[in-house]
Amino acid sequence: MRNTTTRRMTQTQAAYTLLLPFLAVYALFLIYPFFRGVWISLHDWNLLAVAFNPDAKEYVGLRNYERVMWGRNIEWSLLAAPFWQVLGVAGLALSVLLRLKDHLSRFNAIALGIASVLLIILPGFHPGEGGRWFDRRFWPTVGNTLVFVGLAVPGVTISALLLAAAVNRETRAMSALRTLFFLSQVLSVTVVTLIWQIMFSPRQGLIANITEAVGGTPINWLTDQQFAMAAIVIATVWWSLGIAMILFLAGLQDISKDLYEAAALDNATGAKAFWYITMPNLKRTITVVVILQIILHFQVFGQSHLMTQGGPNDSTQVLVRYIYQTGFRDSELGRASAMAVFLFVIMGCFSIIQFVVGREKEE
């Protein structure tokens, strides 16, 4: 008994000893910078002034958060932002309907419902008569980021799922195609944006040449306010397909072939088999892919910065790029840190959802 206890203690000590270097690096490069960022967000912190004089900062409490997220004479009304609020109502109704029909787990229905309620409430705030936002660019930038995420995440998820289903065969040709589709994932954002800048060029781009060949007029994708965000989304979907496709392939290969053979006896093949067998068995994989893609795409920076520089007219300005400009161009590190904390809260919410969904048992 004593030897067993001693052995256990030795194993525990060995485990902590092996974990210690990782925990030290994690604390030094992630935990400490996070709390440091929160501390900076509570100060009026000019980057250049504090660099030369550490005492130049001034504690201002939550004033940076107020400057970023609030304004003067702010009111709330039900139809202040009809598109987003109607979308929230539709999401709320959908969460209830899918839960009643048992197509959504209780947790997923609650998560969708909470997100929908926030979508109804938050866009309803707006300046009243004589009022104004303290930071006129912050909420439009958040809106741009939400539009980007709302377009890119379904685009990556659906495209990756269809590609995974198409190449889910054990042949040399399919193995080559898997490698080909995954190759874009290993490229840096600089290379990706350079490729798509050429592709979208109205003079020499492939898309412009195809458009002219069919008798159309080439579009200035990157300088036209109506198409600039779509251009960034297309480039991002092409770049992000690889990992999502691999996850879906793993999920597809985990589905028993006996299910498809049994369905074939009832003439359930092709699209029917995909809808009634593949999709239900990929529920957990789809949830993980969607949440991972949401977290990833909320942090978009390079595509907006390199392809359009946030333009035209801030139509592709995203939150991380705005944080970068506020902190390093305008030297307002306190305000930039407040926006970064706001982004962290969003990331934290989706991480919690991912953790809970991952542990949730199939109903």
Side-chain angles (χ1 to χ4, degrees):
M1 183 76 173
R2 187 174 177 182
N3 289 338
T4 305
T5 305
T6 305
R7 193 179 302 112
R8 265 188 210 157
M9 288 179 63
T10 304
Q11 289 175 347
T12 303
Q13 289 169 355
Y16 280 117
T17 302
L18 292 171
L19 279 172
L20 192 59
F22 165 76
L23 293 175
V25 172
Y26 187 82
L28 180 63
F29 291 102
L30 288 174
I31 296 177
Y32 170 73
F34 167 71
F35 286 106
R36 182 68 171 173
V38 174
W39 175 248
I40 291 173
S41 74
L42 302 177
H43 291 76
D44 183 4
W45 192 300
N46 184 285
L47 182 63
L48 294 176
V50 174
F52 291 102
N53 178 17
D55 296 326
K57 56 186 178 291
E58 178 188 356
Y59 181 81
V60 294
L62 298 177
R63 192 184 304 168
N64 282 322
Y65 294 91
E66 182 184 3
R67 285 179 60 200
V68 167
M69 301 176 196
W70 206 244
R72 184 175 62 246
N73 193 22
I74 302 299
E75 300 176 351
W76 187 88
S77 60
L78 184 58
L79 295 176
F83 174 78
W84 295 109
Q85 291 175 296
V86 169
L87 191 64
V89 171
L92 189 60
L94 186 64
S95 66
V96 174
L97 181 63
L98 292 177
R99 179 57 190 160
L100 290 175
K101 291 191 174 183
D102 214 25
H103 292 320
L104 269 185
S105 67
R106 181 171 58 184
F107 176 81
N108 288 344
I110 291 172
L112 180 59
I114 291 172
S116 301
V117 169
L118 290 175
L119 206 54
I120 295 169
I121 294 174
L122 294 180
F125 290 102
H126 63 98
E129 185 178 353
R132 60 178 289 269
W133 293 110
F134 292 144
D135 187 339
R136 298 174 186 270
R137 299 177 67 195
F138 177 73
W139 288 113
T141 298
V142 173
N144 290 340
T145 309
L146 289 172
V147 169
F148 173 81
V149 172
L151 293 173
V153 171
V156 171
T157 305
I158 294 170
S159 302
L161 177 57
L162 294 177
L163 279 176
V167 300
N168 187 30
R169 296 176 181 82
E170 294 302 327
T171 65
R172 288 185 180 180
M174 291 300 130
S175 297
L177 284 174
R178 290 178 201 173
T179 305
L180 186 64
F181 288 130
F182 186 78
L183 279 178
S184 64
Q185 191 77 51
V186 303
L187 299 176
S188 70
V189 66
T190 307
V191 175
V192 171
T193 53
L194 180 60
I195 290 170
W196 282 96
Q197 278 180 320
I198 296 171
M199 291 279 285
F200 286 126
S201 171
R203 293 183 179 179
Q204 59 186 15
L206 178 62
I207 296 173
N209 291 335
I210 293 172
T211 304
E212 287 180 337
V214 297
T217 303
I219 299 170
N220 293 316
W221 286 86
L222 301 180
T223 56
D224 191 316
Q225 194 166 331
Q226 294 181 338
F227 296 100
M229 182 62 79
I232 292 176
V233 170
I234 291 169
T236 302
V237 169
W238 178 82
W239 184 34
S240 306
L241 278 175
I243 292 295
M245 184 189 70
I246 294 299
L247 290 173
F248 280 128
L249 271 172
L252 288 169
Q253 291 172 2
D254 198 43
I255 301 173
S256 174
K257 293 181 180 178
D258 295 340
L259 294 173
Y260 294 102
E261 291 172 2
L265 296 175
D266 294 326
N267 293 322
T269 58
K272 282 186 178 180
F274 184 81
W275 185 255
Y276 291 106
I277 297 175
T278 305
M279 291 298 288
N281 283 280
L282 282 180
K283 248 192 229 181
R284 190 68 71 81
T285 307
I286 291 171
T287 302
V288 170
V289 168
V290 167
I291 293 172
L292 286 174
Q293 292 298 322
I294 288 173
I295 293 171
L296 177 68
H297 289 113
F298 260 113
Q299 301 174 67
V300 61
F301 170 77
Q303 300 93 301
S304 170
H305 187 65
L306 296 172
M307 289 179 71
T308 61
Q309 293 77 51
N313 297 324
D314 266 0
S315 61
T316 59
Q317 179 74 294
V318 288
L319 192 52
V320 173
R321 186 173 187 272
Y322 189 41
I323 293 170
Y324 163 79
Q325 287 184 323
T326 304
F328 295 100
R329 185 193 67 184
D330 303 334
S331 294
E332 295 187 49
L333 207 58
R335 194 156 64 93
S337 297
M339 289 188 277
V341 171
F342 173 84
L343 181 61
F344 171 81
V345 170
I346 297 176
M347 299 296 97
C349 290
F350 282 107
S351 297
I352 291 168
I353 291 171
Q354 180 191 359
F355 176 74
V356 175
V357 169
R359 296 187 60 182
E360 188 184 45
K361 293 182 179 178
E362 291 286 344
E363 294 187 351

